[in-house]
Amino acid sequence: MQKVIELIQTHTYDFFIPLTALALLRLGLCLAQLKKTASIRKKKGVYHAVRGHYTEIGVWLGVLPACVLGLALPKLWYAWLALGVVAAIALGKAGQKKGTELDGIYREVAWELKHEAEAEAAREAAAHTLTSDAEELAETDEQNETTEDKGETENG
């Protein structure tokens, strides 16, 4: 155990620099994915889950300050590591809660949009059917008038 602690103390920067870079990278990617999901949702009105993205954002937001503090004060790396784990768990759960709430809202909106689109399609189909029936009736009336006129001229 002592060798592990010595290894971490001698290579603190070797551990915390890549971990900090990874946290920043994942935060950026999660935000980009949320932006892309929002644009898809606006274009198509389709529900896409965001709970996982918010959970991951929460976890990385918990880890990031611990990594920065680990770089600033490497002698207390064990305290920052513990702080990072606790913060990652707490913020991860908060992110999951926020994502679940947003998923519920997005799911409800997508459901309403779907039903509105179905109702609009049904109205268009009904309007098309009524228009078609009216045209057929008009054509039938015109044919009857022509037939009646022919009958009168032949008889008269």
Side-chain angles (χ1 to χ4, degrees), residues 10-31:
T10 57
H11 298 288
T12 303
Y13 290 114
D14 295 338
F15 294 124
F16 280 108
I17 289 174
L19 193 57
T20 304
L22 178 64
L24 291 172
L25 178 66
R26 286 305 303 161
L27 281 171
L29 288 174
C30 286
L31 293 173

Side-chain angles (χ1 to χ4, degrees), residues 65-76:
C67 292
V68 172
L69 289 171
L71 290 172
L73 299 168
K75 297 286 184 189
L76 298 174

Side-chain angles (χ1 to χ4, degrees), residues 11-145:
H11 298 288
T12 303
Y13 290 114
D14 295 338
F15 294 124
F16 280 108
I17 289 174
L19 193 57
T20 304
L22 178 64
L24 291 172
L25 178 66
R26 286 305 303 161
L27 281 171
L29 288 174
C30 286
L31 293 173
Q33 288 172 336
L34 284 174
K35 187 176 178 181
K36 183 177 179 183
T37 301
S39 69
I40 290 171
R41 191 173 42 250
K42 284 180 184 176
K43 286 181 185 176
K44 297 181 180 178
V46 178
Y47 164 73
H48 290 282
V50 294
R51 186 179 97 187
H53 300 307
Y54 278 99
T55 303
E56 190 173 354
I57 287 172
V59 169
W60 287 113
L61 281 176
V63 169
L64 187 61
C67 292
V68 172
L69 289 171
L71 290 172
L73 299 168
K75 297 286 184 189
L76 298 174
W77 65 267
Y78 47 86
W80 308 136
L81 187 63
L83 174 73
V85 169
V86 171
I89 291 170
L91 291 176
K93 287 187 181 199
Q96 185 176 15
K97 182 179 176 185
K98 173 78 172 176
T100 302
E101 289 173 4
L102 288 175
D103 279 348
I105 292 168
Y106 295 149
R107 190 179 301 116
E108 192 173 308
V109 168
W111 185 78
E112 288 175 9
L113 288 173
K114 178 183 175 187
H115 285 286
E116 285 177 13
E118 288 173 354
E120 182 65 28
R123 282 192 292 272
E124 287 178 8
H128 180 67
T129 303
L130 290 176
T131 307
S132 300
D133 289 345
E135 289 174 0
E136 289 177 11
L137 287 175
E139 289 176 8
T140 306
D141 289 342
E142 288 174 8
Q143 290 173 353
N144 287 342
E145 289 175 6

